[in-house]
PDB file of all heavy atoms in Angstrom:
ATOM      1  N   VAL A   1     170.478  85.181  88.062  1.00  0.00           N
ATOM      2  CA  VAL A   1     169.985  84.921  89.432  1.00  0.00           C
ATOM      3  C   VAL A   1     169.171  83.635  89.340  1.00  0.00           C
ATOM      4  O   VAL A   1     168.044  83.674  88.776  1.00  0.00           O
ATOM      5  CB  VAL A   1     169.126  86.097  90.010  1.00  0.00           C
ATOM      6  CG1 VAL A   1     168.703  85.751  91.409  1.00  0.00           C
ATOM      7  CG2 VAL A   1     169.942  87.377  89.967  1.00  0.00           C
ATOM      8  N   SER A   2     169.700  82.565  89.800  1.00  0.00           N
ATOM      9  CA  SER A   2     169.098  81.238  89.538  1.00  0.00           C
ATOM     10  C   SER A   2     168.501  80.529  90.755  1.00  0.00           C
ATOM     11  O   SER A   2     167.953  79.456  90.622  1.00  0.00           O
ATOM     12  CB  SER A   2     170.084  80.321  88.859  1.00  0.00           C
ATOM     13  OG  SER A   2     171.133  79.952  89.791  1.00  0.00           O
ATOM     14  N   ASN A   3     168.654  81.096  91.924  1.00  0.00           N
ATOM     15  CA  ASN A   3     168.207  80.444  93.183  1.00  0.00           C
ATOM     16  C   ASN A   3     166.693  80.378  93.218  1.00  0.00           C
ATOM     17  O   ASN A   3     166.030  81.434  93.252  1.00  0.00           O
ATOM     18  CB  ASN A   3     168.777  81.126  94.390  1.00  0.00           C
ATOM     19  CG  ASN A   3     168.591  80.342  95.664  1.00  0.00           C
ATOM     20  OD1 ASN A   3     168.339  79.118  95.578  1.00  0.00           O
ATOM     21  ND2 ASN A   3     168.672  80.975  96.789  1.00  0.00           N
ATOM     22  N   LYS A   4     166.147  79.188  93.207  1.00  0.00           N
ATOM     23  CA  LYS A   4     164.692  79.009  93.277  1.00  0.00           C
ATOM     24  C   LYS A   4     164.384  77.925  94.303  1.00  0.00           C
ATOM     25  O   LYS A   4     165.022  76.912  94.355  1.00  0.00           O
ATOM     26  CB  LYS A   4     164.112  78.608  91.928  1.00  0.00           C
ATOM     27  CG  LYS A   4     164.083  79.722  90.908  1.00  0.00           C
ATOM     28  CD  LYS A   4     163.169  79.327  89.749  1.00  0.00           C
ATOM     29  CE  LYS A   4     162.948  80.552  88.823  1.00  0.00           C
ATOM     30  NZ  LYS A   4     161.862  80.303  87.880  1.00  0.00           N
ATOM     31  N   VAL A   5     163.352  78.192  95.070  1.00  0.00           N
ATOM     32  CA  VAL A   5     162.845  77.233  96.084  1.00  0.00           C
ATOM     33  C   VAL A   5     161.385  77.079  95.919  1.00  0.00           C
ATOM     34  O   VAL A   5     160.651  78.110  95.978  1.00  0.00           O
ATOM     35  CB  VAL A   5     163.257  77.596  97.513  1.00  0.00           C
ATOM     36  CG1 VAL A   5     162.653  76.624  98.517  1.00  0.00           C
ATOM     37  CG2 VAL A   5     164.754  77.657  97.693  1.00  0.00           C
ATOM     38  N   LYS A   6     160.862  75.860  95.784  1.00  0.00           N
ATOM     39  CA  LYS A   6     159.441  75.639  95.600  1.00  0.00           C
ATOM     40  C   LYS A   6     159.034  74.263  96.082  1.00  0.00           C
ATOM     41  O   LYS A   6     159.680  73.287  95.717  1.00  0.00           O
ATOM     42  CB  LYS A   6     159.034  75.846  94.126  1.00  0.00           C
ATOM     43  CG  LYS A   6     157.537  75.967  93.921  1.00  0.00           C
ATOM     44  CD  LYS A   6     157.257  76.375  92.470  1.00  0.00           C
ATOM     45  CE  LYS A   6     155.781  76.599  92.237  1.00  0.00           C
ATOM     46  NZ  LYS A   6     155.477  76.967  90.849  1.00  0.00           N
ATOM     47  N   GLN A   7     158.031  74.221  96.888  1.00  0.00           N
ATOM     48  CA  GLN A   7     157.491  72.902  97.407  1.00  0.00           C
ATOM     49  C   GLN A   7     158.565  72.049  98.024  1.00  0.00           C
ATOM     50  O   GLN A   7     158.537  70.837  97.947  1.00  0.00           O
ATOM     51  CB  GLN A   7     156.847  72.156  96.272  1.00  0.00           C
ATOM     52  CG  GLN A   7     155.628  72.852  95.624  1.00  0.00           C
ATOM     53  CD  GLN A   7     154.509  73.109  96.633  1.00  0.00           C
ATOM     54  OE1 GLN A   7     154.108  74.262  96.826  1.00  0.00           O
ATOM     55  NE2 GLN A   7     154.022  72.077  97.276  1.00  0.00           N
ATOM     56  N   GLY A   8     159.505  72.723  98.689  1.00  0.00           N
ATOM     57  CA  GLY A   8     160.542  71.952  99.401  1.00  0.00           C
ATOM     58  C   GLY A   8     161.666  71.494  98.521  1.00  0.00           C
ATOM     59  O   GLY A   8     162.501  70.671  98.953  1.00  0.00           O
ATOM     60  N   PHE A   9     161.768  71.984  97.283  1.00  0.00           N
ATOM     61  CA  PHE A   9     162.818  71.613  96.372  1.00  0.00           C
ATOM     62  C   PHE A   9     163.706  72.756  96.034  1.00  0.00           C
ATOM     63  O   PHE A   9     163.195  73.885  95.851  1.00  0.00           O
ATOM     64  CB  PHE A   9     162.253  71.029  95.086  1.00  0.00           C
ATOM     65  CG  PHE A   9     161.666  69.674  95.189  1.00  0.00           C
ATOM     66  CD1 PHE A   9     160.303  69.482  95.449  1.00  0.00           C
ATOM     67  CD2 PHE A   9     162.451  68.546  95.101  1.00  0.00           C
ATOM     68  CE1 PHE A   9     159.758  68.223  95.575  1.00  0.00           C
ATOM     69  CE2 PHE A   9     161.934  67.283  95.179  1.00  0.00           C
ATOM     70  CZ  PHE A   9     160.560  67.130  95.416  1.00  0.00           C
ATOM     71  N   CYS A  10     165.001  72.523  96.032  1.00  0.00           N
ATOM     72  CA  CYS A  10     165.958  73.521  95.498  1.00  0.00           C
ATOM     73  C   CYS A  10     166.018  73.360  93.995  1.00  0.00           C
ATOM     74  O   CYS A  10     166.322  72.259  93.502  1.00  0.00           O
ATOM     75  CB  CYS A  10     167.344  73.282  96.105  1.00  0.00           C
ATOM     76  SG  CYS A  10     167.423  73.387  97.903  1.00  0.00           S
ATOM     77  N   GLN A  11     165.750  74.443  93.259  1.00  0.00           N
ATOM     78  CA  GLN A  11     165.780  74.347  91.799  1.00  0.00           C
ATOM     79  C   GLN A  11     166.714  75.447  91.237  1.00  0.00           C
ATOM     80  O   GLN A  11     167.140  76.355  91.972  1.00  0.00           O
ATOM     81  CB  GLN A  11     164.338  74.577  91.265  1.00  0.00           C
ATOM     82  CG  GLN A  11     163.367  73.480  91.670  1.00  0.00           C
ATOM     83  CD  GLN A  11     161.989  73.718  91.033  1.00  0.00           C
ATOM     84  OE1 GLN A  11     161.162  74.420  91.646  1.00  0.00           O
ATOM     85  NE2 GLN A  11     161.757  73.183  89.875  1.00  0.00           N
ATOM     86  N   VAL A  12     167.015  75.280  89.993  1.00  0.00           N
ATOM     87  CA  VAL A  12     167.975  76.178  89.297  1.00  0.00           C
ATOM     88  C   VAL A  12     167.209  76.867  88.167  1.00  0.00           C
ATOM     89  O   VAL A  12     166.663  76.201  87.257  1.00  0.00           O
ATOM     90  CB  VAL A  12     169.174  75.449  88.740  1.00  0.00           C
ATOM     91  CG1 VAL A  12     170.095  76.423  87.998  1.00  0.00           C
ATOM     92  CG2 VAL A  12     169.945  74.735  89.841  1.00  0.00           C
ATOM     93  N   GLY A  13     167.104  78.213  88.218  1.00  0.00           N
ATOM     94  CA  GLY A  13     166.442  78.947  87.139  1.00  0.00           C
ATOM     95  C   GLY A  13     167.244  78.915  85.875  1.00  0.00           C
ATOM     96  O   GLY A  13     168.471  79.136  85.897  1.00  0.00           O
ATOM     97  N   VAL A  14     166.652  78.581  84.758  1.00  0.00           N
ATOM     98  CA  VAL A  14     167.352  78.446  83.498  1.00  0.00           C
ATOM     99  C   VAL A  14     166.649  79.257  82.412  1.00  0.00           C
ATOM    100  O   VAL A  14     165.441  79.521  82.503  1.00  0.00           O
ATOM    101  CB  VAL A  14     167.514  76.965  83.042  1.00  0.00           C
ATOM    102  CG1 VAL A  14     168.385  76.200  84.019  1.00  0.00           C
ATOM    103  CG2 VAL A  14     166.150  76.299  82.873  1.00  0.00           C
ATOM    104  N   GLU A  15     167.448  79.599  81.400  1.00  0.00           N
ATOM    105  CA  GLU A  15     166.950  80.368  80.237  1.00  0.00           C
ATOM    106  C   GLU A  15     167.110  79.495  79.011  1.00  0.00           C
ATOM    107  O   GLU A  15     168.087  78.790  78.867  1.00  0.00           O
ATOM    108  CB  GLU A  15     167.770  81.672  80.114  1.00  0.00           C
ATOM    109  CG  GLU A  15     167.311  82.620  79.048  1.00  0.00           C
ATOM    110  CD  GLU A  15     168.121  83.884  79.015  1.00  0.00           C
ATOM    111  OE1 GLU A  15     169.214  83.948  79.669  1.00  0.00           O
ATOM    112  OE2 GLU A  15     167.681  84.856  78.342  1.00  0.00           O
ATOM    113  N   CYS A  16     166.145  79.617  78.100  1.00  0.00           N
ATOM    114  CA  CYS A  16     166.230  78.837  76.867  1.00  0.00           C
ATOM    115  C   CYS A  16     167.167  79.564  75.875  1.00  0.00           C
ATOM    116  O   CYS A  16     166.936  80.711  75.553  1.00  0.00           O
ATOM    117  CB  CYS A  16     164.839  78.701  76.244  1.00  0.00           C
ATOM    118  SG  CYS A  16     163.734  77.708  77.240  1.00  0.00           S
ATOM    119  N   TYR A  17     168.217  78.844  75.457  1.00  0.00           N
ATOM    120  CA  TYR A  17     169.125  79.391  74.502  1.00  0.00           C
ATOM    121  C   TYR A  17     168.915  78.742  73.126  1.00  0.00           C
ATOM    122  O   TYR A  17     169.106  77.498  72.983  1.00  0.00           O
ATOM    123  CB  TYR A  17     170.601  79.115  74.941  1.00  0.00           C
ATOM    124  CG  TYR A  17     171.649  79.612  73.986  1.00  0.00           C
ATOM    125  CD1 TYR A  17     172.112  80.938  74.000  1.00  0.00           C
ATOM    126  CD2 TYR A  17     172.134  78.771  72.996  1.00  0.00           C
ATOM    127  CE1 TYR A  17     173.093  81.354  73.118  1.00  0.00           C
ATOM    128  CE2 TYR A  17     173.109  79.153  72.111  1.00  0.00           C
ATOM    129  CZ  TYR A  17     173.568  80.495  72.167  1.00  0.00           C
ATOM    130  OH  TYR A  17     174.531  80.884  71.276  1.00  0.00           O
ATOM    131  N   GLY A  18     168.503  79.502  72.176  1.00  0.00           N
ATOM    132  CA  GLY A  18     168.288  78.982  70.840  1.00  0.00           C
ATOM    133  C   GLY A  18     166.887  78.257  70.706  1.00  0.00           C
ATOM    134  O   GLY A  18     166.083  78.315  71.587  1.00  0.00           O
ATOM    135  N   GLY A  19     166.734  77.610  69.598  1.00  0.00           N
ATOM    136  CA  GLY A  19     165.441  76.947  69.306  1.00  0.00           C
ATOM    137  C   GLY A  19     165.464  75.472  69.566  1.00  0.00           C
ATOM    138  O   GLY A  19     165.422  74.683  68.605  1.00  0.00           O
ATOM    139  N   GLY A  20     165.591  75.067  70.825  1.00  0.00           N
ATOM    140  CA  GLY A  20     165.645  73.666  71.154  1.00  0.00           C
ATOM    141  C   GLY A  20     164.320  72.946  71.079  1.00  0.00           C
ATOM    142  O   GLY A  20     163.252  73.581  71.174  1.00  0.00           O
ATOM    143  N   ILE A  21     164.344  71.626  70.940  1.00  0.00           N
ATOM    144  CA  ILE A  21     163.141  70.785  71.143  1.00  0.00           C
ATOM    145  C   ILE A  21     163.097  70.549  72.639  1.00  0.00           C
ATOM    146  O   ILE A  21     163.640  69.531  73.133  1.00  0.00           O
ATOM    147  CB  ILE A  21     163.210  69.474  70.310  1.00  0.00           C
ATOM    148  CG1 ILE A  21     163.503  69.788  68.845  1.00  0.00           C
ATOM    149  CG2 ILE A  21     161.956  68.696  70.448  1.00  0.00           C
ATOM    150  CD1 ILE A  21     163.694  68.536  67.980  1.00  0.00           C
ATOM    151  N   TRP A  22     162.432  71.415  73.319  1.00  0.00           N
ATOM    152  CA  TRP A  22     162.559  71.441  74.789  1.00  0.00           C
ATOM    153  C   TRP A  22     161.945  70.240  75.505  1.00  0.00           C
ATOM    154  O   TRP A  22     162.394  69.880  76.591  1.00  0.00           O
ATOM    155  CB  TRP A  22     162.009  72.726  75.367  1.00  0.00           C
ATOM    156  CG  TRP A  22     162.672  73.911  74.741  1.00  0.00           C
ATOM    157  CD1 TRP A  22     162.111  74.954  74.063  1.00  0.00           C
ATOM    158  CD2 TRP A  22     164.055  74.257  74.800  1.00  0.00           C
ATOM    159  NE1 TRP A  22     163.033  75.845  73.652  1.00  0.00           N
ATOM    160  CE2 TRP A  22     164.261  75.496  74.103  1.00  0.00           C
ATOM    161  CE3 TRP A  22     165.207  73.614  75.339  1.00  0.00           C
ATOM    162  CZ2 TRP A  22     165.536  76.034  73.930  1.00  0.00           C
ATOM    163  CZ3 TRP A  22     166.446  74.193  75.186  1.00  0.00           C
ATOM    164  CH2 TRP A  22     166.587  75.414  74.495  1.00  0.00           C
ATOM    165  N   ASN A  23     160.973  69.603  74.888  1.00  0.00           N
ATOM    166  CA  ASN A  23     160.399  68.411  75.593  1.00  0.00           C
ATOM    167  C   ASN A  23     161.387  67.265  75.660  1.00  0.00           C
ATOM    168  O   ASN A  23     161.217  66.351  76.443  1.00  0.00           O
ATOM    169  CB  ASN A  23     159.088  67.921  74.898  1.00  0.00           C
ATOM    170  CG  ASN A  23     159.239  67.604  73.464  1.00  0.00           C
ATOM    171  OD1 ASN A  23     160.298  67.297  72.954  1.00  0.00           O
ATOM    172  ND2 ASN A  23     158.105  67.672  72.701  1.00  0.00           N
ATOM    173  N   THR A  24     162.493  67.312  74.837  1.00  0.00           N
ATOM    174  CA  THR A  24     163.438  66.231  74.898  1.00  0.00           C
ATOM    175  C   THR A  24     164.384  66.415  76.135  1.00  0.00           C
ATOM    176  O   THR A  24     165.161  65.497  76.426  1.00  0.00           O
ATOM    177  CB  THR A  24     164.347  66.192  73.651  1.00  0.00           C
ATOM    178  OG1 THR A  24     165.100  67.397  73.510  1.00  0.00           O
ATOM    179  CG2 THR A  24     163.491  66.000  72.418  1.00  0.00           C
ATOM    180  N   TRP A  25     164.277  67.502  76.818  1.00  0.00           N
ATOM    181  CA  TRP A  25     165.083  67.763  77.983  1.00  0.00           C
ATOM    182  C   TRP A  25     164.472  67.175  79.261  1.00  0.00           C
ATOM    183  O   TRP A  25     165.110  67.149  80.312  1.00  0.00           O
ATOM    184  CB  TRP A  25     165.381  69.238  78.162  1.00  0.00           C
ATOM    185  CG  TRP A  25     166.326  69.763  77.178  1.00  0.00           C
ATOM    186  CD1 TRP A  25     166.126  69.950  75.850  1.00  0.00           C
ATOM    187  CD2 TRP A  25     167.719  70.096  77.397  1.00  0.00           C
ATOM    188  NE1 TRP A  25     167.289  70.427  75.225  1.00  0.00           N
ATOM    189  CE2 TRP A  25     168.281  70.517  76.154  1.00  0.00           C
ATOM    190  CE3 TRP A  25     168.548  70.121  78.541  1.00  0.00           C
ATOM    191  CZ2 TRP A  25     169.601  70.943  76.028  1.00  0.00           C
ATOM    192  CZ3 TRP A  25     169.854  70.548  78.427  1.00  0.00           C
ATOM    193  CH2 TRP A  25     170.353  70.954  77.188  1.00  0.00           C
ATOM    194  N   PHE A  26     163.233  66.735  79.176  1.00  0.00           N
ATOM    195  CA  PHE A  26     162.598  66.107  80.307  1.00  0.00           C
ATOM    196  C   PHE A  26     163.109  64.699  80.536  1.00  0.00           C
ATOM    197  O   PHE A  26     163.452  63.949  79.609  1.00  0.00           O
ATOM    198  CB  PHE A  26     161.039  66.038  80.108  1.00  0.00           C
ATOM    199  CG  PHE A  26     160.360  67.374  80.296  1.00  0.00           C
ATOM    200  CD1 PHE A  26     160.515  68.389  79.371  1.00  0.00           C
ATOM    201  CD2 PHE A  26     159.589  67.562  81.376  1.00  0.00           C
ATOM    202  CE1 PHE A  26     159.895  69.614  79.528  1.00  0.00           C
ATOM    203  CE2 PHE A  26     158.940  68.771  81.580  1.00  0.00           C
ATOM    204  CZ  PHE A  26     159.078  69.827  80.659  1.00  0.00           C
TER     205      PHE A  26
END
């Protein structure tokens, strides 16, 4: 269930798969 709305933005809920270096996704 990925539908997210916040501060007037449509966003997509995501789950972290594996041990990523997550700051590189910014």
Side-chain angles (χ1 to χ4, degrees):
V1 181
S2 70
N3 191 18
K4 288 195 169 192
V5 174
K6 193 171 184 180
Q7 299 300 123
F9 287 93
C10 301
Q11 295 182 273
V12 179
V14 294
E15 186 176 13
C16 296
Y17 177 87
I21 305 177
W22 302 120
N23 57 22
T24 64
W25 287 73
F26 283 72

